[in-house]
Amino acid sequence: MNNIGMLLPFIVLIGAMFLMTRSAKKKQQQAAQMRNEMQPGTGVRTIGGMYATVKEIGDETVLLEVAPGVHAVYAKNSIGAVLEDSEYNRIVHGDDDSEEASDADTVVPDDASSLTEAEDAAPKADLTKKSDEAGAEGQKDGKTDGEADAK
């Protein structure tokens, strides 16, 4: 019984290490499968965050067009994501295929007043100076708050 109690932490540690390596291997296999599905003309994002179009695919390298007429050779491992055409065009070119987000329907307010709901919905605070009657309560020795003797 005592020996099992001493071995239990080691068994738990080995099990946790096994589960962590298994999930890491799954992620590596998914990344390799994604890279193998790349084809010329596909939009990609590198692990550095650069968006480009695949031009040629080699065994270990990929030729990417980073701008019109600008090509660069990258390692296949540097491809972080293979993007769908619609997502690539939305990110790189600002294209939006949805009917909801057309520029004609978008209204941008000129000022912040249009962002509030109704004028009377919330009472506004009165920030004006109080009348002389109310101000007399705050006076001490003929001075208002904040005044000091000038000598």
Side-chain angles (χ1 to χ4, degrees):
M1 278 296 256
N2 195 13
N3 290 337
I4 295 174
M6 291 179 67
L7 291 177
L8 187 63
F10 293 114
I11 293 171
V12 170
L13 181 64
I14 290 171
M17 288 173 47
F18 172 75
L19 290 175
M20 289 190 313
T21 57
R22 193 172 126 212
S23 67
K25 282 184 181 181
K26 266 187 169 180
K27 287 181 182 179
Q28 286 178 347
Q29 287 174 348
Q30 288 174 344
Q33 180 182 1
M34 177 223 21
R35 289 184 194 110
N36 289 336
E37 292 174 357
M38 276 190 306
Q39 296 177 359
T42 306
V44 295
R45 182 182 66 236
T46 66
I47 57 175
M50 183 180 65
Y51 293 91
T53 304
V54 176
K55 288 298 175 185
E56 293 178 15
I57 301 173
D59 292 336
E60 297 293 322
T61 61
V62 180
L63 180 67
L64 300 179
E65 184 176 35
V66 296
V70 180
H71 298 104
V73 178
Y74 279 80
K76 268 190 177 178
N77 293 346
S78 67
I79 304 301
V82 176
L83 307 173
E84 294 179 15
D85 288 339
S86 60
E87 183 180 6
Y88 180 78
N89 289 332
R90 181 183 59 82
I91 293 169
V92 175
H93 303 296
D95 296 347
D96 197 356
D97 294 338
S98 68
E99 294 176 13
E100 299 172 6
S102 69
D103 291 335
D105 295 338
T106 305
V107 177
V108 179
D110 290 338
D111 59 359
S113 65
S114 62
L115 299 176
T116 59
E117 289 186 20
E119 291 284 327
D120 299 327
K124 295 183 180 179
D126 184 19
L127 301 176
T128 59
K129 211 171 194 178
K130 301 287 183 190
S131 67
D132 290 337
E133 297 168 11
E137 296 173 5
Q139 291 182 350
K140 297 174 189 165
D141 300 328
K143 300 176 200 137
T144 59
D145 290 340
E147 286 185 357
D149 288 331
K151 292 186 181 180

